[in-house]
Amino acid sequence: MSAATAWGVVEAQQAPPTPRRAPSSSALTELQRQVAEQAREIEALKQSMAQQESRYGELERSLAENRNASDRATAAATAATVAVDSRPVVSAPPRAIQVGQAPSQDARLNVAPLFEQPGILTPKGSMVLEPSLQYAYSSSNQVALVGYTIIPSLLIGLVDVRQVKQNTLTSALTGRFGITNRFEIEARVPYVYRSNSTVSREIFTGSAIDNVFETSGRSLGDAEVTARYQLNEGDASTPYMIGTLRFKSRTGKDPFEVVTDCVTRCVGNTTGTGLPLDLPTGSGFYTLQPGLTWLFPSDPVVFFGSFSYAHNFKRSNVSREVRDGAREFLGDFKAGDILGMNFGMGLALNDKSSFSIGVDLNSVGRVKQNGLPVPGSVRTQLATLMLGYSYRYDAKRTVNISVGAGLTRDTPDLTLTARIPFSF
């Protein structure tokens, strides 16, 4: 390379850069326009996001309200068929259906009834007829020692040993009618068949042979009338409270109307078994029973129970007929009052069948004659473990079956009940 050429290159490298041309006013205006448009778009996006957030909040509130309404409706529908019947609760709110959720074919939970005091009301203007059949079996052993002991292992006298086996079959027709949506009346008419077999060795005979004494009775039982009123508006957090008032007549044959095979007290007959020759089918006393039933739905189960007090009215100038046509005057009689309670729970197995379990407790007071307790009469405690199954055949008919097992000696060993309510 020549010196002139090299020097030219050096001068070219040391020459200052050519200054950048300032943008024109039109280009600056265009840039400002683009920035302003982007600012407007950003503001529009902010407003859209705020609207979306507001709409999202409204959807959340609506979803929560629908969920609460659905829970309340489900709880009300659950309580609508509990405890002791398959009839709907009258004041249940309409079921809320969430968007996108298909309604079920039948929202009611049909819980198997267990006890005699149903807690469900019949809707206004509706009627329910319920035929039922109940079988009860009980057995007991009674030992009477007549004599005196010289030493604890030696008895001088007679031993009376009795085995009593009782069978009771009760068929009944119950009718319920809804006066209002919160008030109903019920009437029940039973027909009772009873049979007893007593295996014993009679006192005063000294016999070593067992004798069998059999007796039976069949007749109309004690008719009943009941009124029920729903006291409050229950929901998922508050139990339904229903007040009841039951009046029981004495249309059945009472214990003082049957002929007794007396032992010592009867006129003209100083021997015998002391047992009735035919069996009564009623209690022989008018009874008034107030009560309170509660139902508490807690998905998927329903808890229920009741408290009651049965007052038996006193009868005056009572006498009984004994063998050979004689009558024995007994005076005034007062059957013991009954303090009762029961509780249990029901669980729906599917939309047609359900299962229930519960316990029924009753405390029966002492029987009084002429104002004094009858000798040998004590307060009696009754307890029954109940299991029930229910199947809804269709919208008008339900099959209910329950079985009870006695938990105390004075309670029937076995109780089987079948009921088929028909709605109209």
Side-chain angles (χ1 to χ4, degrees), residues 201-349:
R201 297 181 183 181
E202 299 181 11
I203 300 178
F204 305 133
T205 63
S207 174
I209 300 176
D210 290 336
N211 295 320
V212 178
F213 183 86
E214 293 184 348
T215 183
S216 63
R218 65 185 71 189
S219 180
L220 188 70
D222 291 338
E224 305 175 3
V225 176
T226 305
R228 299 186 183 89
Y229 182 76
Q230 182 174 334
L231 303 176
N232 70 327
E233 296 285 349
D235 53 33
S237 60
T238 304
Y240 294 85
M241 307 297 291
I242 299 173
T244 64
L245 183 63
R246 182 176 70 98
F247 175 76
K248 185 186 70 65
S249 67
R250 52 186 186 93
T251 54
K253 181 183 294 185
D254 63 55
F256 307 107
E257 294 177 344
V258 299
V259 180
T260 303
D261 187 21
C262 198
V263 176
T264 57
R265 296 176 55 196
C266 302
V267 179
N269 178 26
T270 58
T271 62
T273 62
L275 301 173
L277 298 181
D278 55 343
L279 296 179
T281 58
S283 67
F285 297 90
Y286 290 110
T287 303
L288 187 65
Q289 182 183 36
L292 180 66
T293 299
W294 56 271
L295 311 169
F296 185 74
S298 180
D299 192 34
V301 301
V302 178
F303 299 98
F304 52 85
S306 68
F307 301 92
S308 63
Y309 181 81
H311 173 72
N312 293 302
F313 293 92
K314 182 178 68 174
R315 291 187 60 180
S316 302
N317 301 322
V318 177
S319 61
R320 65 174 177 177
E321 183 179 356
V322 297
R323 188 174 253 178
D324 300 331
R327 298 197 67 87
E328 179 186 9
F329 182 74
L330 301 177
D332 299 339
F333 254 87
K334 170 69 169 64
D337 294 341
I338 304 174
L339 180 63
M341 67 170 292
N342 56 58
F343 56 89
M345 60 172 286
L347 174 64
L349 304 178

Side-chain angles (χ1 to χ4, degrees), residues 78 81-86 109-114 300-302 304 345-348 353-356 389-390 392 400:
T78 296
T81 52
V82 68
V84 281
D85 208 297
S86 59
L109 176 61
N110 191 27
V111 178
L114 294 179
V301 301
V302 178
F304 52 85
M345 60 172 286
L347 174 64
S353 60
S354 62
F355 174 80
S356 297
Y389 176 78
S390 176
R392 187 168 60 251
N400 302 313

Side-chain angles (χ1 to χ4, degrees), residues 1-11:
M1 179 182 296
S2 62
T5 302
W7 179 253
V9 172
V10 171
E11 285 183 347

Side-chain angles (χ1 to χ4, degrees), residues 114-147:
L114 294 179
F115 309 116
E116 291 295 331
Q117 299 86 4
I120 304 305
L121 300 181
T122 304
K124 179 180 178 180
S126 299
M127 184 176 182
V128 175
L129 287 179
E130 182 184 272
S132 63
L133 185 65
Q134 183 182 77
Y135 169 75
Y137 170 79
S138 62
S139 62
S140 62
N141 296 327
Q142 302 174 359
V143 179
L145 305 179
V146 182

